[in-house]
């Protein structure tokens, strides 16, 4: 309360909660694929891998990955979005917290490490200004050696360029493995949206 706002909180024109989910329901009803993010992450994981859904929102990606047999934890700062995620999948772990500082613990109490982390839905450009480096560092700290961070975000608007994001990733031991212009794996063409796969050094 009273602190700096994230770009997500500043934007009053973004649907939240059930309104956010409605657009995906409509897309599915039209026969459109709504699981491109889960498809890509799933392709990078071992069978029954573990995934940190960073900025999970209403849980669409996390729930689909869990349906495919992966062990998923969702973290988000928006309580309304998390309430809806919990209502849809009460058995999955949902954590309300800041991606810059939240520590996900394992059964033994230590910091948990995941096979993959996914930051879909423009998470990286909706962060509180000045926390981007801390967020990338915290996500990287939750990856096992050889784990991957998959993030997709808009490049227009001047929020974060790929050179900045890649530098933050490299600073934390993450090397660019592949980059696409869509979650369906279309090769990156220099356009205004990028999906980046970075792998943590072994």
């Amino acid at each position: 309360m009273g602190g700096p706002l994230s770009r997500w909180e500043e934007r009053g024109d973004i649907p939240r909660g059930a309104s956010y989910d409605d657009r995906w329901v409509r897309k599915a009803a039209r026969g459109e694929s709504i699981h491109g993010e889960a498809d890509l992450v799933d392709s990078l994981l071992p069978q029954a891998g573990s995934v940190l859904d960073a900025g999970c929102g209403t849980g669409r990606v996390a729930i689909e990955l869990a349906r495919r047999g992966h062990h998923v934890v969702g973290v988000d700062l928006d309580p309304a979005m998390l309430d809806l995620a919990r209502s849809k999948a009460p058995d999955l772990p949902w954590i309300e917290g800041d991606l810059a500082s939240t520590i996900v613990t394992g059964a033994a109490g230590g910091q948990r490490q995941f096979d993959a982390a996914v930051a879909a839905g423009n998470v990286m450009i909706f962060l509180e200004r000045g926390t981007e480096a801390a967020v990338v560092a915290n996500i990287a700290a939750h990856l096992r050696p050889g784990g991957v961070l998959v993030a997709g975000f808009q490049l227009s608007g001047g929020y974060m360029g790929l050179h900045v994001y890649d530098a933050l990733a490299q600073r934390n031991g993450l090397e660019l493995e592949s980059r696409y212009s869509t979650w369906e794996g279309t090769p990156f063409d220099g356009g205004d949206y990028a999906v980046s796969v970075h792998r943590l050094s072994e």
Side-chain angles (χ1 to χ4, degrees):
M1 297 290 288
L5 296 177
S6 68
R7 296 186 185 99
W8 174 259
E9 293 168 312
E10 289 175 347
R11 291 280 297 273
D13 59 338
I14 300 174
R16 289 171 167 81
S19 296
Y20 179 84
D21 255 15
D22 283 348
R23 67 175 180 142
W24 299 105
V25 172
R26 291 194 299 270
K27 286 169 75 76
R30 294 194 297 266
E32 298 178 34
S33 171
I34 63 168
H35 294 306
E37 301 97 329
D39 290 340
L40 178 56
V41 175
D42 185 41
S43 74
L44 298 167
L45 287 169
Q47 187 175 12
S50 57
V51 185
L52 172 63
D53 189 347
C56 62
T58 61
R60 176 178 55 87
V61 177
I63 292 168
E64 178 61 18
L65 286 169
R67 188 189 68 78
R68 300 181 189 197
H70 301 297
H71 306 286
V72 187
V73 176
V75 178
D76 203 284
L77 194 59
D78 189 320
M81 302 285 266
L82 282 176
D83 283 347
L84 188 50
R86 291 187 182 107
S87 73
K88 294 190 295 182
D91 293 335
L92 291 183
W94 307 103
I95 300 172
E96 183 178 338
D98 190 330
L99 292 175
S101 57
T102 295
I103 304 298
V104 180
T105 57
Q111 180 168 307
R112 186 170 174 183
Q113 291 190 313
F114 296 83
D115 295 311
V118 57
N122 283 315
V123 166
M124 289 297 171
I125 64 171
F126 283 140
L127 301 172
E128 179 185 317
R129 288 172 174 82
T131 67
E132 295 88 352
V135 168
V136 174
N138 193 34
I139 293 175
H142 282 85
L143 290 175
R144 65 163 180 81
V148 292
L149 167 57
V150 189
F153 54 90
Q154 292 286 341
L155 303 175
S156 56
Y159 295 125
M160 181 187 290
L162 288 176
H163 65 291
V164 174
Y165 180 63
D166 287 345
L168 293 177
Q170 188 172 40
R171 186 186 304 172
N172 290 282
L174 292 157
E175 296 296 331
L176 181 65
E177 182 169 278
S178 51
R179 176 161 285 146
Y180 310 102
S181 61
T182 68
W183 286 95
E184 288 70 33
T186 306
F188 183 64
D189 58 3
D192 65 357
Y193 189 85
V195 178
S196 305
V197 179
H198 287 82
R199 190 172 295 273
L200 188 65
S201 302
E202 295 277 0

